[in-house]
Amino acid sequence: MRRARLLASTLVAASLVLSACGGDEKKSDDDGPEAQEIAGGSVLDSTWPLTGLPVEGDDSAAQEHPVIVAKIDNTASSSPQQGLGSADLVVEELVEGGVTRLAVMFFSKIPGEVGPVRSMRASDIGIVKPTGATVVTSGAAGVTIDRINKAGIKFIQEGGPGFSRNTSRSAPYNLFADLKKTVKSTERDEASRPDDYLPWGEAADLPQGQPAKTLAASFGSHTTNWTFDGKKYVNENTFAAEGDEFPADTVLVLRVKVGDAGYTDPAGNPVPESKFEGRGQAMLFHDGRLVRGTWTKKDLGDSVTLATKAGELTVPAGRTWVELVPVDAANGSVTVGK
C-alpha cells in the first residue's frame, strides 16, 4: 500500500507539472477531479478491493461483473459447505435462534458451486451495500425484500441461472448455485472496480497490540473458535468441506448493536437485525496478536473506517473474516487467549 500511495503521489505531482507547463495558470473546474480520478484509478486497479492484495501481472482489478455475495448457512445442517476456500472475504452475522449465517464475498475469483444457499436478512444491507454487490440467495421474507429493493441492492434468487437442488441433502440445506453460470447474468459492458471494503494496509503498520493466539466469537447459541497456527487463523469448528476452508490471514471482530427486524421466522423466533452503522468496538487479530480500536460507519452504504487512540488503523492486505458480534453481553461475547 505504501508503494500504491507513492505511485499515486507521483502521478498527481506529474499532472501538476504538466498543467504548469501549459502556460495557463487558471485551471478549469474539470481538470482537478479528472486528474485525481485517472491517477487514483490507475493505482486502485492494481489491488483487489476485498483483500487489498496486488493483482498479478498486467491484469486489472476492474471486472465486468460486480462483487458476488452468497448467503450461506452456518449450522451443522450445512456441512459440508462449498466455496469458502475461493472467497475473498467473509462476514459472519447473527440470525434468529442465536446461530449465524455467512455473507461470502467473491470478486477476484469466481468459483463453481457454492452453498448451501439460504435467505437474506435486513442486516445484509449494511454488509453488502458498500460493495455494490449482487446477492445470491434462496429468497427472503417479504418485508426484507422490500427493504433490500429500497436500498438498491440487486439479488438473484432460486430459479435464477445456476441454481439447483442437491437431492442427496435435506431441504432447505440442499440449495446450491454454480456461480460461474450465475455471474454471467450480472456482466456489464464496461469493467469497473468497487471501493475498498476495508482500509487496507501492511502488517508493519499495525501497533504492537497484545498476544492473542486464540479467540472465541459467541453469538448466543453458536460460537466460532479461531486458533493462530503460526501462519493464519484456523476456524476450529468450521462446517466447510475438507480442503475448502477459508484461509483467514486476519479476523476482524466488530461489536454491533442488534435490534428487532420486525417479524418472526416460521418457528416463531424473532428475527434480529445487526445495526451495521454508527460506531463500536473493533478487535483486529493478525499474526497472533490483538490490536484494539474502534470502527465507524456513518451510513449503511458507507465503508468502515478503523482507528486507535493513536490514529488511523488499517487491516493488513489479505483474506479477512469479519465477525459482527452483538455488543449485548446476553447475546454476544469475545474471549481471547494468549
Side-chain angles (χ1 to χ4, degrees), residues 2 202-209 250 284-287 289 291 313-316:
R2 290 175 177 169
E202 301 176 359
D205 297 331
L206 287 179
Q208 184 176 5
T250 301
L284 192 159
F285 296 84
H286 182 83
D287 198 25
R289 304 191 69 82
V291 177
L313 175 63
T314 58
V315 181

Side-chain angles (χ1 to χ4, degrees), residues 81 84-86 234-235 238-248 319:
Q81 298 162 328
L84 268 64
S86 299
V234 177
N235 186 339
T238 182
F239 300 113
E242 185 175 356
D244 199 16
E245 300 89 354
F246 182 80
R319 312 276 283 281

Side-chain angles (χ1 to χ4, degrees), residues 65-314:
H65 62 77
V67 171
I68 302 296
V69 178
K71 292 304 306 294
I72 295 182
D73 187 81
N74 197 44
T75 66
S77 299
S78 68
S79 183
Q81 298 162 328
Q82 296 182 22
L84 268 64
S86 299
D88 287 328
L89 185 145
V90 177
V91 179
E92 183 171 9
E93 62 185 287
L94 177 70
V95 292
E96 56 275 14
V99 297
T100 62
R101 192 155 293 175
L102 307 179
V104 185
M105 302 189 180
F106 304 90
F107 189 69
S108 67
K109 179 181 179 181
I110 301 298
E113 196 168 78
V114 303
V117 176
R118 299 299 305 277
S119 57
M120 298 180 291
R121 295 292 183 274
S123 304
D124 292 321
I125 296 173
I127 295 171
V128 171
K129 191 171 175 60
T131 69
T134 294
V135 183
V136 174
T137 176
S138 62
V143 62
T144 300
I145 288 180
D146 183 57
R147 290 185 61 184
I148 293 287
N149 283 331
K150 287 181 178 178
I153 296 171
K154 297 180 180 180
F155 61 93
I156 302 173
Q157 59 186 329
E158 184 175 9
F163 281 90
S164 64
R165 291 277 178 178
N166 186 333
T167 57
S168 68
R169 298 197 185 204
S170 300
Y173 309 100
N174 64 346
L175 181 63
F176 289 81
D178 184 340
L179 294 191
K180 289 187 180 298
K181 296 179 180 178
T182 306
V183 76
K184 290 182 179 179
S185 65
T186 70
E187 290 181 351
R188 303 167 292 209
D189 294 334
E190 184 175 347
S192 62
R193 178 196 186 280
D195 293 337
D196 285 344
Y197 193 73
L198 294 172
W200 302 114
E202 301 176 359
D205 297 331
L206 287 179
Q208 184 176 5
Q210 67 187 72
K213 296 294 178 66
T214 66
L215 70 127
S218 178
F219 293 82
S221 300
H222 172 79
T223 299
T224 300
N225 297 287
W226 295 93
T227 299
F228 181 66
D229 69 358
K231 294 183 178 180
K232 63 182 183 304
Y233 286 86
V234 177
N235 186 339
E236 299 290 359
N237 49 341
T238 182
F239 300 113
E242 185 175 356
D244 199 16
E245 300 89 354
F246 182 80
D249 297 302
T250 301
V251 178
L252 178 62
V253 177
L254 305 178
R255 304 301 301 271
V256 297
K257 295 179 180 179
V258 177
D260 190 335
Y263 65 100
T264 59
D265 70 1
N269 296 307
V271 176
E273 178 181 351
S274 295
K275 306 292 187 178
F276 197 18
E277 62 180 335
R279 180 184 174 90
Q281 179 189 16
M283 304 170 71
L284 192 159
F285 296 84
H286 182 83
D287 198 25
R289 304 191 69 82
L290 162 62
V291 177
R292 298 179 183 272
T294 57
W295 65 268
T296 304
K297 196 169 183 286
K298 293 182 179 179
D299 297 301
L300 289 175
D302 287 339
S303 297
V304 172
T305 60
L306 303 170
T308 65
K309 291 181 179 180
E312 178 189 16
L313 175 63
T314 58

